[in-house]
Amino acid sequence: MSKPVSICVIGSGYVGLVASVCFAEIGHQVICVDNDEAKVETLRLGGVPIFERHLPELLARHHNRGVEFTTDLAGAVERSEAVFIAVGTPQGDTGAADLSYVEAVVSEIARAIKSYKVIVEKSTVPVYTNEWIRRVLERHGVGPASFDVVSNPEFLREGSAIMDFLHPDRIVVGANSERSADVLRSIYEPLTAGSYYVQPEALAGPCNALNPARLLVTSAQSAEIIKHASNAFLALKISFINAVARVAESVDADIEDIAAGMGLDSRIGPKFLRAGLGYGGSCFPKDVAAFHWVAQQEGVNFDLLHEVKKINETQKALFVDKVRSTLWTLRGKRIAALGLSFKGETDDIRDSPAIAVIRDMLEAGASVTAYDPAAMDRARYLLPLSSKMHYATNAYEAARGADAVLILTDWKEFAELDLDRLSDEVRFPIVIDGRNLYKPKTMLEYGFTYVSVGRPASYHEQERSALTA
Ligand code: NAD
């Protein structure tokens, strides 16, 4: 592969850790920095702090070879040619991104710069952050010839983060100088020239030597906006299909058929047309708000984004209404909650619709037994410690004696449940599916009353006669 670049990645979260091991995987020498000492210790000892496919394998492959972990930011910056900032940019009170973590890191970098560095924004940031980073560095006395600031937004998705990084749809580099653009080009060259994909241990995926990753160089402002606009657009697609699902439901149409019919149009495409509980996680909610804020600051009316958010929020409330209208009262009811993470294949519970629904159930006086394949430890810290909140070791145990089973996260294993076994465990055969993982007809055949999103409910024989009596 091409010449290795010495890289420092600041932040060892979902993005920083994945970027670190992937840069090592494509041949670079990486130092990953975090100020969370416990996390760094875990990583040093070979532990894996987050649930992410292929991460344990790549960490084991590169631990103490291509990638090392430290809390010493200054030392790491000194030894690196490119410094990637991958700390959190949470939502602030006004909706704007809170950039205090980025600023703190930039001040520390400034004190450590002794030779030319490329400072790379990997965190999702509003337009002009690039310019602010430059100003902060200069205020700290770093000469303009000693650095360039580049925007290199990250598009990975939790759950498939490693594959997304190594087989990206595109790599965006927002650089205002050729020198810094060249450093980024050489970092990503194993992916863009395809040399990584012919390595014997390369993870196979959609890119290959004949069809390598594409790299797009833009201005820094454009790159910053590409990230915000991409996430806002994906969120809009989800809210759009959820709004269509409401119409479908009221006229007894089927949103799954509608989404399939729409998605076959190559101009629309099938992805992100899944009706359900709406989006969550650490990115879409805050990025929609931050992009709306950016537009407002620039005097641009982008209230469409407000609607996107509003639809998303009411989607959870509508689901809770469905549970109510199916079970009548919630006080004293026993609810099985399948799923805690904001989507399947991740342990991330930040802004998870599943957590919001469970809180509503508890507040309404129901007791909840939850199961999630990966997010239970994290959820225990977030959900109230209550005699009404329980955790099970699998989906069937969660369903034992339940008045209703709620499907809240689209984990693959929840789409493949043994429905006979589930039916044996529950008190009443009622499934309310916030992720449309089953066909209503199938659920009816297994004797369930099945309520989902944007589709007619199907009623178990007894329920039907009670309804029509
Ligand atoms: P995270 O919260 O998982 O990780 C951030 C890490 O930064 C933490 O480990 C924290 O301890 C560390 N940190 C904070 N301040 C620090 C400091 N001063 N010095 C050293 N380390 C410090 O966040 P994340 O999910 O990895 O997201 C990081 C950024 O990437 C955000 O801007 C996010 O919007 C963006 N992003 C996230 C995803 C995703 O799917 N999670 C995808 C694309 C982009």
Side-chain angles (χ1 to χ4, degrees), residues 138-220:
E138 290 190 7
R139 277 180 193 163
H140 279 82
V142 186
S146 302
F147 70 91
D148 275 305
V149 186
V150 174
S151 166
N152 172 221
E154 184 47 60
F155 301 99
L156 63 77
R157 296 159 298 174
E158 289 173 21
S160 55
I162 299 272
M163 291 304 278
D164 290 344
F165 198 99
L166 294 171
H167 295 266
D169 287 344
R170 78 301 206 189
I171 296 158
V172 173
V173 172
N176 296 332
S177 85
E178 256 323 290
R179 182 180 183 186
S180 59
D182 280 344
V183 172
L184 271 286
R185 281 193 191 98
S186 63
I187 289 175
Y188 286 108
E189 196 184 314
L191 303 180
T192 55
S195 56
Y196 169 67
Y197 305 113
V198 295
Q199 299 296 308
E201 289 194 308
L203 295 184
C207 294
N208 55 51
L210 295 176
N211 177 32
R214 277 182 292 190
L215 185 143
L216 176 71
V217 177
T218 68
S219 71

Side-chain angles (χ1 to χ4, degrees), residues 13-15 34-35 39 87 89 123-124 154 158 283 286 350:
Y14 288 87
V15 169
D34 207 289
N35 62 356
K39 205 187 242 187
V87 297
T89 48
S123 299
T124 302
E154 184 47 60
E158 289 173 21
C283 292
K286 79 165 173 70
R350 290 178 283 185

Side-chain angles (χ1 to χ4, degrees), residues 5-35:
V5 177
S6 54
I7 294 174
C8 156
V9 178
I10 304 173
S12 66
Y14 288 87
V15 169
L17 185 55
V18 167
S20 296
V21 294
C22 289
F23 284 142
E25 172 74 0
I26 60 175
H28 303 300
Q29 207 55 44
V30 185
I31 310 172
C32 181
V33 184
D34 207 289
N35 62 356

